[in-house]
Amino acid sequence: MEKFDVHILGCGSALPTLRHSATSQVVNIREKLFMIDCGEGTQVQLRRSRLRFGRLNHIFISHLHGDHCFGLMGLISTFGMLERTADLHIYAHAELEKLLAPQLNYFCKGMTYKVVFHAIDPGEQAVIYDDRSVSVETIPLRHKLPTCGFLFREKPVPNHIIREMIDFYHIPLYLINRIKNGEDYQMEDGTVIPNARLTTPSDPPRTYAYCSDTCYLPRITEQIKGVDLLFHEATFTTSELARAKATLHSTAEQAALIAREAGVKQLMIGHFSARYEDDSLLLKEASAIFPQTILAQENLKIEL
């Protein structure tokens, strides 16, 4: 099976703590690295993860609160000192380019690579990235600033060839890719060998949804229905429901309700408030509704 991993670099909310770093994740799909959010200290966490800097070419920023983007300038500068040459693509609200452009002009003159900004509309569901391996689409969320989540959809891979059958029927090499993609094989005497005899089905494509920061928003369940893994913010417990409503954040219970309604396979909660010294309180609350819940934590890697 091709690689599809989610690496947690940071899962805390706005106030820094000694237990949690600011929000950032890396999704590794077939050795292509995609970063989601880039809070303060992300580049240190990236080194701890032992992920290869050179394979990170795309960064997706959910919204322009500092705990989700204050790490960008440091990371961009570090890439420059490493003499990076590949373009770095950043997908975010258009305001981010206006904010970073003066800093880039002052601190990063003469860099060996380009930073390419892609303006996105957080209020619109749209595919913002697409290649042969994966597509990424926005999930409109509701927060104090324009905010969106991201849905990663792996592309299907061709069927697996059965080498013994290829040898048995003496199938020419130039037909292998056609057979992998579903074609039958016709022998010289006209006999048709069905594709199902020559191949085994490929693994089903995997999906990952990232939803942070947001208030409780049941409408997103249609877009994320059945995903393999859902990351949903759980900033507070239900005892702080009034605070959650005031700040347009979610409780652990609400994250679990979203997961249950969407029928996801696994829920990961994060973006924990600094007020909690014991994250198990949040896990207990969510698990009571959706048992397939895990806690995000720094340096955690989930293999899909």
Side-chain angles (χ1 to χ4, degrees):
M1 183 179 289
E2 298 276 6
K3 188 180 291 292
F4 194 135
D5 300 336
V6 178
H7 298 256
I8 306 303
L9 305 185
C11 59
S13 58
L15 290 178
T17 71
L18 296 177
R19 294 183 301 109
H20 292 306
S21 297
T23 298
S24 186
Q25 301 182 7
V26 169
V27 183
N28 181 349
I29 301 178
R30 306 180 193 177
E31 300 301 346
K32 297 176 183 177
L33 303 186
F34 303 88
M35 179 173 283
I36 307 173
D37 286 335
C38 188
E40 183 180 358
T42 288
Q43 60 177 320
V44 175
Q45 289 296 97
L46 187 58
R47 283 205 178 278
R48 286 183 175 141
S49 73
R50 300 191 180 279
L51 293 166
R52 295 180 62 179
F53 277 43
R55 289 181 175 167
L56 174 58
N57 295 320
H58 302 274
I59 300 177
F60 302 90
I61 302 298
S62 62
H63 65 295
L64 302 187
H65 276 154
D67 57 321
H68 292 255
C69 62
F70 278 168
L72 267 175
M73 271 305 304
L75 185 62
I76 290 170
S77 177
T78 294
F79 281 161
M81 289 188 284
L82 292 174
E83 298 185 346
R84 177 191 179 99
T85 57
D87 292 349
L88 180 66
H89 297 266
I90 299 177
Y91 305 77
H93 191 285
E95 290 296 312
L96 182 62
E97 183 174 8
K98 296 179 184 179
L99 294 169
L100 285 188
Q103 299 179 61
L104 291 172
N105 289 336
Y106 186 86
F107 291 108
C108 299
K109 290 180 180 178
M111 281 201 312
T112 54
Y113 73 100
K114 294 181 180 179
V115 178
V116 182
F117 289 93
H118 302 265
I120 63 176
D121 180 356
E124 177 186 356
Q125 179 181 333
V127 175
I128 57 172
Y129 176 83
D130 188 75
D131 67 19
R132 294 193 304 174
S133 303
V134 63
S135 68
V136 182
E137 63 187 66
T138 49
I139 306 170
L141 301 174
R142 185 173 175 230
H143 193 45
K144 288 190 172 183
L145 291 179
T147 303
C148 65
F150 302 102
L151 177 57
F152 290 75
R153 295 185 186 273
E154 184 183 27
K155 298 287 182 69
V157 297
N159 290 338
H160 303 297
I161 206 81
I162 302 174
R163 181 55 188 265
E164 294 79 6
M165 301 303 287
I166 299 301
D167 294 340
F168 180 80
Y169 289 109
H170 304 290
I171 298 176
L173 289 177
Y174 72 89
L175 292 177
I176 296 297
N177 281 337
R178 294 184 188 178
I179 292 171
K180 283 184 177 181
N181 286 297
E183 286 191 15
D184 298 329
Y185 172 60
Q186 184 171 340
M187 300 178 66
E188 292 183 1
D189 64 2
T191 303
V192 175
I193 310 301
N195 186 268
R197 192 182 300 173
L198 305 172
T199 64
T200 57
S202 61
D203 298 308
R206 293 156 291 182
T207 47
Y208 172 57
Y210 171 91
C211 297
S212 185
D213 296 4
T214 183
C215 64
Y216 178 54
L217 204 60
R219 64 168 167 77
I220 67 174
T221 57
E222 284 302 312
Q223 187 179 357
I224 65 174
K225 191 169 290 293
V227 300
D228 292 280
L229 176 65
L230 165 65
F231 175 89
H232 195 289
E233 73 130 281
T235 307
F236 301 106
T237 60
T238 300
S239 63
E240 298 289 337
L241 181 59
R243 180 66 177 162
K245 289 181 177 178
T247 58
L248 295 181
H249 281 295
S250 298
T251 66
E253 178 181 311
Q254 290 171 336
L257 289 170
I258 293 292
R260 186 175 69 181
E261 178 64 24
V264 308
K265 294 178 181 176
Q266 188 174 39
L267 168 66
M268 176 168 53
I269 55 173
H271 198 264
F272 306 123
S273 169
R275 71 188 63 211
Y276 300 109
E277 294 185 1
D278 183 2
D279 298 334
S280 67
L281 297 173
L282 297 133
L283 178 62
K284 181 178 179 181
E285 181 172 295
S287 297
I289 294 170
F290 192 77
Q292 295 77 34
T293 303
I294 61 174
L295 286 173
Q297 55 184 321
E298 282 70 17
N299 303 313
L300 175 66
K301 180 178 79 169
I302 302 114
E303 300 178 1
L304 301 187

